[in-house]
Amino acid sequence: MAGLYLHVPFCRQACHYCDFHFSTTRSNVDDLVSAMVQEMEVRNDFLQGSSLSTIYFGGGTPSLLTAEQLEKLFAGIRRNFTIDETAEITLEANPDDITTESLSSWKTQGVNRLSIGIQSFREEDLKFMNRAHTSAQAVSAISLARHHDFHDLTIDLIYGTPTMNDEAWEENLRVLEELNLPHFSAYALTVEPRTALAKFVKNRIVPMPEEEQAASQFQRLMEWARSHGYEHYEISNFARNQRYSRHNTAYWKGITYLGIGPSAHSFDGNQRTWNVRSNPEYIRNVERSELTFEKELLSANERYNEYVMTALRTCWGISKLKVQQDFGDEALAYLETQLGAFSGGDWIKESSASISLTDTGKLFADHIASGLFR
Ligand code: SF4
């Protein structure tokens, strides 16, 4: 059981808040796709023969690929890996790329889950974020996808933007309710260094997003999700009927995955690698058969910290048995001691088997995790 991530680093336009690796220069897409296929040929032993239970096309904007480019990537995957019959195959798509033709091509290739980058159903927010689509396109993209038999759908939303007061957030939740989706993700707007948004905030063109506003919208979201039958299974992810993202859940559980493409990360349980974050450099390196990635062997403490941080964000929480088995009795004793610092507040739920966060604790997840680090 393993995962494959393919990073498609091209976008139509730059969203102001985004710090993912992407380029709006699209003159070298064919070369990049060829390089990704070549990287698969060179690194297919990373998964040590495990078959793929999940494949995830992320980015960037994978929905910008032509049918031929996507077909080439799929041919590379099939040549180099075994795909489980029931594999979850997700493609991130922006609403403005969702057409009858693109949906048919994705279906033919084997994509069975779409993650649609919507962010908001309100024009004002979309303009603020510099998204390439309109609110009307977002809603019609979902209905077109369903019409083409894509029912495993998820969307992304962003709250806490300066354009979004609580009433505006309620408006988004009302549309979300009407859409009746099996899954969605929601993130607080953050100002990442080296983004257009960071410059705007620095030059006082837009105000700094308010933490209190984001916290109150997150709290409202948790109540809303619970009353609408969604399980809050990870800090930013909500699913009905256990239709979790299998790819991301495997990642949070420490399952091996290989990342292909510029900036993609890989993990084999002990070692983490990350590819160069430049399209031309990536293509050049692959063409010269040079390494495209750097690697880091994680120490036991680093693996423990990573496990604590990711597991604490999920509804399953930190498994005491796993800590004991993977890191020893001493690590478990340390964890129990550190938990003492949080015992006074309503932040932690502890049973004999696990440690997880309450709704209040979810507001301070990073702080709590760092208090448990070694
Ligand atoms: S479409 Fe996605 S990856 Fe591209 S700039 Fe916008 S948020 Fe970033």
Side-chain angles (χ1 to χ4, degrees), residues 162-176:
T163 49
M164 191 186 289
N165 59 20
D166 289 351
E167 179 46 38
W169 183 224
E170 290 295 331
E171 244 181 76
N172 272 333
L173 295 179
R174 274 195 292 276
V175 182
L176 187 59

Side-chain angles (χ1 to χ4, degrees), residues 88 113 152 181-183 229-233 238-246 249 315-316:
E88 174 193 90
R113 183 170 183 269
D152 211 349
L181 294 162
H183 188 285
Y230 287 97
E231 186 182 357
H232 191 183
Y233 75 102
F238 301 80
R240 276 182 176 151
N241 304 319
Q242 302 190 347
R243 285 170 77 178
Y244 312 130
S245 159
R246 283 167 49 199
T249 303
C315 64
W316 304 285

Side-chain angles (χ1 to χ4, degrees), residues 222-242:
M222 288 191 282
E223 288 160 22
W224 181 92
R226 190 169 292 125
S227 64
H228 287 76
Y230 287 97
E231 186 182 357
H232 191 183
Y233 75 102
E234 196 270 347
I235 292 255
S236 308
N237 287 279
F238 301 80
R240 276 182 176 151
N241 304 319
Q242 302 190 347

Side-chain angles (χ1 to χ4, degrees), residues 239-353:
R240 276 182 176 151
N241 304 319
Q242 302 190 347
R243 285 170 77 178
Y244 312 130
S245 159
R246 283 167 49 199
H247 184 82
N248 289 340
T249 303
Y251 165 73
W252 299 320
K253 292 191 169 172
I255 307 287
T256 296
Y257 64 89
L258 172 64
I260 296 288
S263 83
H265 286 221
S266 308
F267 182 62
D268 70 357
N270 290 308
Q271 173 180 282
R272 180 170 298 293
T273 69
W274 57 98
N275 283 355
V276 62
R277 207 182 145 107
S278 150
N279 295 356
E281 208 179 320
Y282 172 82
I283 295 169
R284 241 185 348 260
N285 288 356
V286 174
E287 281 173 355
R288 288 185 193 146
S289 303
E290 287 173 3
L291 284 185
T292 61
F293 56 84
E294 292 179 48
K295 59 179 163 187
E296 173 187 47
L297 201 59
L298 299 181
S299 67
N301 280 356
E302 284 167 335
R303 283 190 291 113
Y304 163 93
N305 292 347
E306 195 160 295
Y307 172 67
V308 163
M309 191 172 67
T310 47
L312 196 61
R313 292 173 60 92
T314 69
C315 64
W316 304 285
I318 300 170
S319 156
K320 293 183 183 177
L321 185 63
K322 183 170 170 66
V323 170
Q324 190 175 31
Q325 282 177 343
D326 290 6
F327 307 105
D329 291 343
E330 195 214 329
L332 183 59
Y334 175 85
L335 177 65
E336 299 277 15
T337 309
Q338 294 303 103
L339 271 178
F342 303 105
S343 60
D346 167 32
W347 289 5
I348 301 271
K349 287 186 278 188
E350 186 177 2
S351 71
S352 57

Side-chain angles (χ1 to χ4, degrees), residues 56-57 63 90-94 98 111 113-118 152-156 183 185:
Y56 195 101
F57 292 86
S63 54
T90 307
L91 182 125
E92 286 182 354
N94 277 346
I98 295 183
V111 173
R113 183 170 183 269
L114 293 179
S115 171
I116 307 178
I118 284 178
D152 211 349
L153 297 174
T154 180
I155 67 166
D156 286 347
H183 188 285
S185 308

